[in-house]
Amino acid sequence: MTTLINIDNGGTLTDICVWDGQGFTFTKTLTTPHDLSECLFSGIEKVSESLYGQADLAVGSTPAWVRACEQVRQVLTENQPAVVIGESGSGKFTLVAEIFHDAFPDARSVSIDACQIVDEGDTDVDLDTMLAGQAGPTLFIIRNIDQASTEGAEQISNILRALAEHEEPTWCVATLSDSSLDSDLPFQMLLSHFEVAITVPPLRLRTDDLPQIVASVLRQIAPERRVRLSPAAMRVVSRYSWPRNVTQLTEALQHALRQRPVGEIQEQDLPGYCQTTVSHNLTPLEQAERDAIVAALREFDGNRVAAAAHLGMARSSLYRKVRTYGITA
């Protein structure tokens, strides 16, 4: 059974749920770290369906991905504290969790969001209470340590020291966005707790893995349906750069399933941005204009003269906007 517990001391409620192998049942709502300390190792199991489902997302044969998988497996086997680095949404957490539970099927994993750990004086997490009740081997995954505040980083440092001294079998892995490496953010004080750094490649460098990844995501978000991508839709997916990686791919496939809930997903079912190669963030107005142009080009089979007439736009303006938005339709 997998244990994933999200600490949320930022003012919102945190639910603890029980996974019984078939579904989720509500158990308790946490409002303070003290509640967390009481529940963390009391036998309550939480599984975050959106982050760690039954689908196998740690798939692929791209050399950089295979190398990352081998390195993660090695540090877990040798129980070395490690930091896993990569772009947001590239699968750092999923990679670690799936390899750990494949290697240690009877162990548990606990996920802690670094950005949600705050210092509130007398409401600090009671580490002694947390660790005293630990039942069996446990992996602690501290997610997004680059998002920790100064106070949060100090608390995480306390957690890491306690875990290093704990007698029960314990693993510790942190995830980190590569965009923060050159910063002077508070997470820098935490790096001395780790022995190994592992880099996870972004989705745009894993083109050969996309058919497997798409199939895995579809199994996760539509497990009971017969859905697949058409060859044309897969070509669109392969051409797009996916700046938000697997997270964005999942959102795109969810959008496509709303257009075509079963059967073969077509290229027109994917979001309009999949037909573009623009490298900068668009405003909402630009996004709407881009999507309208993509829709018109699809409707008229790529005929830009007809699309421009349909949009009430001069051909020269359409050609310019196609270049501006990097539209490939």
Side-chain angles (χ1 to χ4, degrees):
M1 186 177 290
T2 303
T3 305
L4 299 176
I5 296 181
N6 293 317
I7 300 177
D8 185 354
N9 300 334
T12 58
L13 302 179
T14 299
D15 292 337
I16 294 295
C17 302
V18 174
W19 171 257
D20 61 7
Q22 297 180 342
F24 298 89
T25 57
F26 174 78
T27 303
K28 183 175 178 62
T29 295
L30 307 182
T31 57
T32 70
H34 177 68
D35 292 335
L36 173 67
S37 299
E38 290 182 346
C39 294
L40 190 53
F41 294 114
S42 63
I44 294 175
E45 309 284 346
K46 181 193 175 190
V47 172
S48 172
E49 186 174 21
S50 64
L51 296 176
Y52 188 76
Q54 295 180 348
D56 178 15
L57 295 181
V59 296
S61 58
T62 300
W65 179 257
V66 171
R67 183 165 56 252
C69 292
E70 292 173 347
Q71 291 173 334
V72 168
R73 189 174 295 275
Q74 181 178 351
V75 299
L76 292 174
T77 301
E78 299 178 2
N79 199 356
Q80 295 176 292
V83 57
V84 179
I85 304 168
E87 295 182 5
S88 176
S90 58
K92 303 182 292 295
F93 170 79
T94 300
L95 175 64
V96 173
E98 289 192 354
I99 290 179
F100 177 77
H101 287 288
D102 178 65
F104 305 97
D106 296 326
R108 307 189 309 171
S109 62
V110 176
S111 171
I112 303 174
D113 281 326
C115 65
Q116 295 176 338
I117 299 179
V118 297
D119 184 9
E120 296 184 355
D122 60 355
T123 61
D124 287 348
V125 175
D126 185 347
L127 291 175
D128 292 336
T129 303
M130 284 174 52
L131 297 176
Q134 180 180 343
T138 303
L139 165 68
F140 289 82
I141 307 177
I142 304 178
R143 306 182 63 198
N144 306 316
I145 60 171
D146 51 300
Q147 296 182 19
S149 64
T150 300
E151 295 80 8
E154 292 173 354
Q155 286 213 40
I156 293 171
S157 184
N158 293 334
I159 293 173
L160 293 172
R161 278 194 293 268
L163 293 177
E165 298 171 357
H166 195 51
E167 295 180 357
E168 291 289 334
T170 301
W171 293 259
C172 187
V173 175
T175 65
L176 167 65
S177 172
D178 59 2
S179 63
S180 301
L181 290 175
D182 294 333
S183 70
D184 57 355
L185 293 172
F187 80 89
Q188 296 284 352
M189 67 180 289
L190 301 174
L191 297 181
S192 61
H193 292 281
F194 302 97
E195 299 176 8
V196 180
I198 300 169
T199 300
V200 174
L203 191 57
R204 65 180 176 276
L205 300 182
R206 300 180 58 199
T207 305
D208 292 342
D209 295 340
L210 277 172
Q212 290 177 278
I213 296 170
V214 166
S216 292
V217 172
L218 287 174
R219 284 196 299 270
Q220 183 187 44
I221 62 180
E224 304 299 327
R225 302 188 218 168
R226 297 181 181 180
V227 290
R228 61 195 181 279
L229 262 63
S230 70
M234 182 58 71
R235 284 194 294 271
V236 170
V237 168
S238 299
R239 286 197 303 262
Y240 189 61
S241 61
W242 301 109
R244 292 191 292 114
N245 294 287
V246 178
T247 300
Q248 187 178 18
L249 174 63
T250 301
E251 293 171 358
L253 293 176
Q254 289 171 332
H255 174 92
L257 287 171
R258 288 193 292 270
Q259 314 305 311
R260 195 179 303 269
V262 296
E264 189 174 70
I265 294 172
Q266 304 299 317
E267 58 180 320
Q268 62 267 26
D269 299 325
L270 294 165
Y273 64 73
C274 294
Q275 299 277 4
T276 69
T277 58
V278 65
S279 59
H280 67 278
N281 293 328
L282 301 180
T283 67
L285 183 59
E286 289 174 327
Q287 292 174 13
E289 184 176 54
R290 174 204 61 195
D291 292 348
I293 293 173
V294 169
L297 289 170
R298 286 174 173 172
E299 181 177 351
F300 294 100
D301 297 323
N303 186 320
R304 298 187 178 186
V305 174
H310 175 75
L311 293 167
M313 182 183 297
R315 281 180 291 173
S316 59
S317 297
L318 177 65
Y319 278 84
R320 176 173 52 80
K321 291 181 182 294
V322 165
R323 290 194 299 272
T324 299
Y325 295 138
I327 296 172
T328 59

